[in-house]
Amino acid sequence: MAATAARSPDPRFTFIEELDWFWRRFVHPPGYGKASDLLETHRTVLLSGEAGSGRVATAKALLRGLSTGDELFHELTWEWDKEIGRYRLEPAAVGDDDRVWLNLAQADERVWRAFQEELSSVRKMIVGHSALLVVVLPSKGGEGLWPEFTRFHAAIGRPVAHEVLRRYLRLAGVPGAATGPLPGFLRTNRPLRDVARFAYLVDLAHQKNPGNDYAAWYKAAETAYTGHGAEVAERIAKLRLGPQRALFLAAAMLQDAHVDHVYNAAMTLLSTVSYADECHSLERSDLVESLKGIGAELDDRGHVRFEELGYDAAVRAHFWHHMPGLRDGIRQWVGKMIDRTDLPDKDRDLLVTRFAGQCLHPRYRHVLVDAVAEWTKGPMTYRRQMAAHKALQRALNTEEHGGFFRKQIYNWATDDHLSEALSQVVIVMCAKVIALSHPDQAIVRLHHRARRENRTSDARTALLELVSGDPWFRRQLLLRLTQSLEGNRKEYEKDPDLFLDLADPAAFTAPGHHGRPLAANAEVRTMLTDGWRRVFHERDETIWQARMRQWLAVAHHDDRHRDVLVDVLVSGGEQRSAILGRLYTEARAVSRSAENGADHSAAFLDVVLRKISTSQGIQIP
């Protein structure tokens, strides 16, 4: 089955749209001005603040405040590289003019010390690329910061919570947001992410009952936020029969679905957990009465929902956390519901997303991993593939758990025996989800997958399409394809073919950042030379001849980059007579077919011949 991500979105523009949405809602915290000045002056700021003060949000805002909107924004990762035995950034993790942040808030002493040991070299990379870097310090703040780095340190305080709330509500279109009373929710020292979540719930309450006043919206939002745990526990205690509880859970997992689908889901759940119901259907309560018994209702379209905001989430949480013997049954039940052909796509997506939400806890993340692996076993269907996509997308898009699931995607990507179905899921997650916030990691994972696929070339296609839209991406893949082998790094057979796919001469000579083409960079030229050298050594002429002719055709036409393109090919030939002879033969063929005129062709051939002769130690007068 072909991957559904035929062409991934451009991470540069997709992420900046999300960042602009956040930027309009951002309230500057105390200390923001100093942090911005340090960032502008030193291109690096080490940011500290108490937990819940919005450090990561401030890091993004600082970068956005010093940008034109055309730069690439992404998060760096500081991870242990088992192949070289140390922590490091991915090679070429930073490109020209990038806006990057690194979140070390949860770093332990070892990680923090390792980063400080490398900070000078990291800053050299940042300055060399005219990039900007914000590092969120560990929770201890500036304590333990080496003296030479204190000049980059800035501490922020907490912005006023009610200003954050009112800005969110005003931009959401909630009437009177600037003057309405403040909720009791803000009396405690809430983390800013909780304030943003509360604003979202107030907006939902307003949409649900626009005729109410602020007091009612705040009360509904606060109840939804703190949960209906006690109410749900009390109701479940009264629902002693299996069919009642099955309907309760089905309604919570499929809220807003048609009642028929909720009923079928409840019946499937009973079957999955082997519940023996001997009661005849004529003796059971009708659906209206049954729904009333669990506190749910039908709208005028026959869709099921709970009246109180957030009640469905409380029901799901109760079954998951307080009925541990049912967890495996819920996982199996969701798998069966995915396969039901009568369940609409939107309802399946809701079910899977809500199931994934229950698994987003360090104790249960493996349940979601196992579920995705199970859904992608055997014959693959569109429904199973979409379910795996939705579940992983839900997990990857969370700040707390995204790193764990990106690591899981990496483990799958490097599995030599990964099933084709799961491989397709990995490809889509890299191209459509991970690439938006962690493009460097998406490239690494797609590259690993492309090296290992046999019957298809979907990872290869997705990888090349991802890097084709941005010079930085193209450079990073080029580095991975041509970097020197370190330690026990494995040399992969498919890399020369990937290099030939990547080595489009028009792309390397096209204007990039500030109008500079990639080929103008000395490091890039060295990597291109290394790539051609390996191709010439390991591939037959029939494989590389067409790409060589393309390079020569561009060199013939483009006077500005002629020397660079021919130099790379000649240097890659390494004084091998057969290669250099073929190079000159192809150059003559290009000249004969060109329409630039005899003088232009003669000048081109003269350049090619002189460079070949020089490489062989022959002086041409």
Side-chain angles (χ1 to χ4, degrees):
M1 179 183 298
T4 57
R7 185 167 182 84
S8 60
D10 186 337
R12 180 188 301 278
F13 297 110
T14 301
F15 189 77
I16 200 67
E17 288 177 358
E18 297 178 3
L19 193 59
D20 282 343
W21 182 94
F22 157 77
W23 174 252
R24 291 191 294 272
R25 289 156 178 79
F26 181 74
V27 175
H28 289 194
Y32 181 91
K34 177 186 176 181
S36 182
D37 290 343
L38 287 175
L39 182 60
E40 187 171 16
T41 301
H42 299 293
R43 296 195 168 274
T44 302
V45 64
L46 308 179
L47 196 67
S48 67
E50 64 179 78
S53 60
R55 291 165 294 175
V56 175
T58 301
K60 296 178 184 179
L62 286 166
L63 295 168
R64 182 65 184 92
L66 294 174
S67 73
T68 63
D70 188 47
E71 299 85 359
L72 181 66
F73 289 76
H74 59 102
E75 182 178 1
L76 299 178
T77 53
W78 185 253
E79 296 179 325
W80 181 260
D81 189 324
K82 62 183 179 182
E83 293 184 330
I84 61 176
R86 62 180 173 85
Y87 286 93
R88 67 157 191 168
L89 298 177
E90 185 64 31
V94 179
D96 292 343
D97 299 321
D98 281 5
R99 298 323 192 225
V100 296
W101 70 95
L102 177 63
N103 185 1
L104 296 179
Q106 305 302 319
D108 59 23
E109 283 288 344
R110 184 181 64 164
V111 173
W112 177 227
R113 183 174 61 253
F115 178 73
Q116 292 196 80
E117 290 171 353
E118 300 292 335
L119 181 53
S120 294
S121 61
V122 171
R123 287 204 66 249
K124 182 178 179 180
M125 176 173 60
I126 291 294
V127 173
H129 287 287
S130 299
L132 296 178
L133 168 67
V134 181
V135 181
V136 176
L137 299 188
S139 55
K140 63 182 180 180
E143 297 179 17
L145 188 61
W146 294 0
E148 60 265 38
F149 300 136
T150 55
R151 60 195 174 108
F152 307 126
H153 175 235
I156 61 166
R158 289 175 53 85
V160 180
H162 72 261
E163 290 184 8
V164 176
L165 175 64
R166 283 176 167 167
R167 180 169 294 189
Y168 268 82
L169 294 179
R170 184 173 65 253
L171 291 171
V174 178
T179 58
L182 294 174
F185 178 85
L186 296 181
R187 293 187 188 125
T188 55
N189 203 24
R190 300 278 185 178
L192 290 186
R193 60 180 174 273
D194 291 359
V195 177
R197 170 67 179 167
F198 182 73
Y200 168 73
L201 293 172
V202 173
D203 183 32
L204 287 182
H206 163 249
Q207 294 178 39
K208 185 178 177 65
N209 294 294
N212 284 351
D213 58 14
Y214 263 94
W217 296 333
Y218 283 151
K219 181 179 180 181
E222 191 162 359
T223 302
Y225 183 86
T226 56
H228 300 268
E231 301 170 48
V232 170
E234 183 178 347
R235 188 180 292 274
I236 287 180
K238 295 177 180 177
L239 299 175
R240 306 305 302 175
L241 299 179
Q244 294 174 310
R245 293 185 171 187
L247 184 64
F248 201 21
L249 178 56
M253 293 289 281
L254 284 167
Q255 175 164 264
D256 294 321
H258 192 275
V259 66
D260 290 349
H261 301 308
V262 173
Y263 173 77
N264 290 335
M267 294 301 101
T268 303
L269 176 58
L270 291 171
S271 172
T272 302
V273 299
S274 302
Y275 179 82
D277 182 11
E278 299 179 358
C279 180
H280 194 280
S281 58
L282 288 174
E283 299 174 349
R284 297 177 184 144
S285 302
D286 62 31
L287 274 175
V288 174
E289 183 181 352
S290 297
L291 290 171
K292 184 178 180 181
I294 63 172
E297 59 186 8
L298 293 177
D299 63 16
D300 54 6
R301 300 172 301 159
H303 289 210
V304 177
R305 64 177 302 103
F306 295 97
E307 183 178 356
E308 295 184 75
L309 188 67
Y311 196 86
D312 60 315
V315 175
R316 294 192 295 269
H318 186 96
F319 275 95
W320 186 261
H321 292 286
H322 301 296
M323 294 185 174
L326 198 57
R327 285 185 200 130
D328 190 57
I330 292 174
R331 179 183 60 80
Q332 294 178 41
W333 168 58
V334 171
K336 288 184 178 181
M337 291 302 299
I338 289 169
D339 287 332
R340 288 191 70 112
T341 58
D342 60 336
L343 187 66
D345 290 349
K346 66 178 183 63
D347 295 331
R348 182 202 60 234
D349 292 347
L350 281 174
L351 176 68
V352 169
T353 300
R354 288 165 178 166
F355 167 70
Q358 298 308 307
C359 298
L360 294 183
H361 184 284
R363 190 177 300 147
Y364 309 125
R365 292 184 299 210
H366 71 280
V367 177
L368 187 57
V369 172
D370 292 344
V372 169
E374 184 176 311
W375 299 342
T376 52
K377 284 182 181 177
M380 195 58 169
T381 65
Y382 172 81
R383 291 182 296 278
R384 288 188 169 202
Q385 187 180 46
M386 289 300 102
H389 292 172
K390 288 294 181 181
L392 288 173
Q393 184 177 8
R394 172 73 174 86
L396 287 166
N397 283 336
T398 59
E399 184 175 322
E400 182 180 358
H401 305 283
F404 172 88
F405 284 94
R406 289 194 300 273
K407 179 64 176 177
Q408 180 59 53
I409 295 288
Y410 178 88
N411 292 339
W412 281 330
T414 55
D415 185 348
D416 292 332
H417 306 291
L418 194 70
S419 70
E420 184 178 338
L422 188 48
S423 178
Q424 296 295 338
V425 171
V426 167
I427 292 167
V428 173
M429 289 301 99
C430 290
K432 284 198 167 184
V433 182
I434 297 177
L436 299 183
S437 58
H438 296 79
D440 53 331
Q441 293 192 21
I443 291 170
V444 169
R445 285 149 179 76
L446 284 172
H447 184 201
H448 278 299
R449 201 66 240 137
R451 285 167 160 173
R452 291 166 170 82
E453 61 186 352
N454 294 313
R455 292 190 296 172
T456 68
S457 58
D458 296 319
R460 182 171 173 171
T461 299
L463 175 61
L464 293 169
E465 287 182 344
L466 175 61
V467 303
S468 67
D470 190 282
W472 179 84
F473 295 169
R474 186 177 291 275
R475 183 184 183 279
Q476 178 147 337
L477 179 56
L478 178 65
L479 176 61
R480 287 188 57 81
L481 291 171
T482 60
Q483 63 185 346
S484 300
L485 301 181
E486 301 178 60
N488 62 347
R489 287 190 182 278
K490 188 176 180 181
E491 188 167 339
Y492 285 87
E493 174 64 23
K494 292 187 179 181
D495 279 359
D497 302 307
L498 276 167
F499 170 81
L500 284 174
D501 286 337
L502 183 71
D504 179 357
F508 281 95
T509 55
H513 283 297
H514 305 300
R516 296 186 70 233
L518 281 172
N521 183 284
E523 293 178 353
V524 170
R525 294 196 297 272
T526 298
M527 289 188 283
L528 287 170
T529 299
D530 291 342
W532 272 111
R533 183 178 297 117
R534 184 177 176 190
V535 165
F536 289 146
H537 271 283
E538 300 182 18
R539 292 295 182 267
D540 186 82
E541 176 182 317
T542 58
I543 303 297
W544 48 256
Q545 181 179 1
R547 185 61 96 183
M548 173 189 276
R549 180 172 292 194
Q550 187 182 19
W551 272 61
L552 291 169
V554 172
H556 183 279
H557 175 75
D558 187 352
D559 295 343
R560 295 169 303 167
H561 302 107
R562 177 178 295 163
D563 285 338
V564 168
L565 294 174
V566 176
D567 276 338
V568 166
L569 291 174
V570 171
S571 298
E574 287 187 313
Q575 304 178 22
R576 296 170 62 190
S577 298
I579 299 295
L580 297 178
R582 172 50 63 186
L583 174 60
Y584 188 69
T585 299
E586 291 296 331
R588 288 176 58 85
V590 166
S591 295
R592 286 195 298 268
S593 62
E595 300 177 356
N596 299 72
D599 291 343
H600 188 94
S601 293
F604 165 70
L605 284 175
D606 182 63
V607 169
V608 174
L609 181 58
R610 285 179 178 277
K611 290 184 181 297
I612 290 175
S613 298
T614 301
S615 75
Q616 295 178 317
I618 302 173
Q619 296 297 322
I620 297 180

